[in-house]
């Protein structure tokens, strides 16, 4: 089946970046600090689809950027102005700098060409980080947002991308949140209003189709 022509144009490898949001061992891995979220990411197939997208991006020459949330052992610089942050401080697994918890989770492949941006504060993988500058420096026009969670960080990333002038694309089967039925509701009622909602297979099809020489 031919892919959507509009999506095909949006996903030009030369101007597309694939963003993985908090796909780290301490969040979606087997020893997650948030086992319910990790379970949702795995059982829904979202984590597997993120891995498929990253592998395909590598093959297609699409820049991959991994956004990781972490904290200093002493907590200095971390945000404390929301219930979410206070709850995170009490979790049995901490996303501490240099620990295995902040490594990109299996089965997502990582290469030396991937960019990794680590943040110590806030809710967004874009606002208050160097992501925007990096995206502009690599010529990004379209940002594919994947990962977790559909509750907080993923919508933050989509809104920030749109506000900064990027076209946001969300493969709905490559994001996850809790409870599981919240994710499709978020996609349908919120993300679809500001982003191009698609599937992992549709993205992969676009990257496999030949493009005309310019």
């Amino acid at each position: 089946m031919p892919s959507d022509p509009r999506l095909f144009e949006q996903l030009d490898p030369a101007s597309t970046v694939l963003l993985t949001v908090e796909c780290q061992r301490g969040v979606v891995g087997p020893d997650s600090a948030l086992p319910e979220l990790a379970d949702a990411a795995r059982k829904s197939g979202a984590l597997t689809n993120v891995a498929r997208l990253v592998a395909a991006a590598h093959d297609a020459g699409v820049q991959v950027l991994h956004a990781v949330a972490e904290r200093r052992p002493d907590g200095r610089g971390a945000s404390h102005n929301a219930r979410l942050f206070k709850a995170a401080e009490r979790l049995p697994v901490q996303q501490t700098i240099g620990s295995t918890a902040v490594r990109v989770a299996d089965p997502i492949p990582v290469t030396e060409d991937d960019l990794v941006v680590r943040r110590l504060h806030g809710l967004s993988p874009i606002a208050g980080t160097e992501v925007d500058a990096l995206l502009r420096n690599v010529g990004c026009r379209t940002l594919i947002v994947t990962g977790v969670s559909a509750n907080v960080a993923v919508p933050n990333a989509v809104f920030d991308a749109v506000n900064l002038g990027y076209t946001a694309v969300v493969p709905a089967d490559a994001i996850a949140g809790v409870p599981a039925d919240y994710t499709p509701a978020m996609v349908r009622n919120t993300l679809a209003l500001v982003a191009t909602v698609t599937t992992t297979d549709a993205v992969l099809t676009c990257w496999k189709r030949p493009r005309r020489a310019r």
Side-chain angles (χ1 to χ4, degrees):
M1 180 181 296
S3 59
D4 178 354
R6 183 181 63 138
L7 185 65
F8 182 75
E9 291 304 318
Q10 288 177 340
L11 297 183
D12 183 347
S15 58
T16 297
V17 172
L18 174 64
L19 175 69
T20 75
V21 179
E22 296 182 27
C23 291
Q24 55 204 73
R25 295 185 185 184
V27 176
V28 295
D31 299 319
S32 170
L34 304 163
E36 185 181 2
L37 178 58
D39 190 55
R42 291 182 178 277
K43 286 185 175 179
S44 68
L47 189 59
T48 297
N49 284 331
V50 173
R52 293 174 64 207
L53 287 164
V54 171
H58 292 157
D59 290 341
V62 173
Q63 179 66 60
V64 176
L65 193 158
H66 304 284
V68 173
E70 61 184 22
R71 58 186 287 121
R72 287 167 48 111
D74 61 7
R76 190 178 298 274
S79 301
H80 304 282
N81 57 336
R83 288 175 56 195
L84 179 65
F85 302 133
K86 296 182 184 299
E89 294 173 2
R90 300 191 295 270
L91 291 174
V93 177
Q94 292 293 307
Q95 314 300 318
T96 308
I97 294 172
S99 69
T100 59
V102 297
R103 295 180 186 173
V104 176
D106 294 330
I108 298 170
V110 180
T111 73
E112 61 183 12
D113 293 327
D114 293 358
L115 297 171
V116 180
V117 173
R118 303 176 182 277
R119 78 178 194 276
L120 291 173
H121 65 88
L123 300 170
S124 173
I126 298 179
T129 74
E130 59 185 326
V131 168
D132 180 38
L134 293 176
L135 294 179
R136 296 187 189 282
N137 287 348
V138 299
C140 177
R141 291 199 301 270
T142 298
L143 184 67
I144 304 174
V145 180
T146 67
V148 296
S149 72
N151 304 73
V152 179
V154 166
N156 261 264
V158 171
F159 296 149
D160 288 343
V162 172
N163 285 332
L164 289 167
Y166 301 104
T167 295
V169 172
V170 179
D173 56 357
I175 66 171
V178 290
D181 59 0
Y182 178 76
T183 300
M186 164 60 77
V187 171
R188 183 175 59 254
N189 297 304
T190 302
L191 300 184
L193 302 178
V194 295
T196 298
V197 175
T198 186
T199 65
T200 295
D201 285 344
V203 173
L204 300 186
T205 297
C206 287
W207 287 342
K208 289 175 182 176
R209 281 181 56 188
R211 293 178 181 270
R212 295 177 183 173
R214 295 181 178 179

